[in-house]
Amino acid sequence: MVLSIILGSLVLLALLIGLLLNIGVKKSDDGQGPVMYPKGYWLGRGIAIGILLGIPLGIVLGISTENIGLGIALGPAMGLALGSAIGSVLEKKHKENLRPLTEEERRVQRMLLVFTISFLILGVTVLFIIFYLLGRM
């Protein structure tokens, strides 16, 4: 048990170091200067990194408290908070390389938001129905 926690922590640390070394502003191919990223790009990347780190952290927390459900529930939430902080720092660091969203990007962003909220509502409804039907049996 202790060995698996230590091994998992080392893998997580190596992953974090690799990801942090990979983050940077790339130069454009035509030599015109740095690439311009849309506003919110670095925040999204930070959230993705945070969730990637939060899920294993939650599983380790669940195993150590002998309540894996709690760990699975809290892991992504902790990762989201950590990722938001990381993304905010990255946005501030690269603020000179940000550009406003185009109209097409705004449209796609609105569509994805509606799809995500709809999918979340549908998933919660289906889970509620499944648990309700299992409880009646």
Side-chain angles (χ1 to χ4, degrees):
M1 167 97 170
V2 175
L3 181 62
S4 64
I5 291 174
I6 293 172
L7 184 61
S9 300
L10 289 175
V11 169
L12 189 63
L13 182 63
L15 181 65
L16 177 64
I17 291 171
L19 286 172
L20 290 177
L21 290 176
N22 188 30
I23 295 174
V25 177
K26 301 173 188 166
K27 295 287 184 186
S28 63
D29 293 337
D30 57 2
Q32 295 292 329
V35 174
M36 299 300 284
Y37 294 101
K39 187 176 181 183
Y41 173 81
W42 294 105
L43 183 63
R45 194 162 179 170
I47 289 173
I49 291 169
I51 290 177
L52 181 71
L53 297 174
I55 290 173
L57 182 66
I59 291 173
V60 168
L61 176 70
I63 291 171
S64 65
T65 61
E66 297 179 2
N67 188 354
I68 194 73
L70 177 69
I72 291 173
L74 290 180
M78 291 186 305
L80 185 66
L82 177 67
S84 295
I86 292 171
S88 177
V89 169
L90 289 174
E91 282 279 326
K92 288 178 184 173
K93 179 181 175 186
H94 299 291
K95 67 180 176 185
E96 68 276 353
N97 295 61
L98 296 177
R99 61 171 172 75
L101 294 175
T102 63
E103 190 57 40
E104 177 68 19
E105 288 169 337
R106 279 194 210 111
R107 187 184 66 76
V108 169
Q109 195 175 43
R110 282 191 301 263
M111 247 177 27
L112 287 174
L113 181 65
V114 168
F115 174 75
T116 303
I117 290 172
S118 303
F119 191 72
L120 181 66
I121 291 171
L122 178 67
V124 168
T125 305
V126 168
L127 281 176
F128 176 75
I129 291 171
I130 289 171
F131 284 125
Y132 177 75
L133 292 176
L134 287 176
R136 304 255 311 157
M137 295 177 121

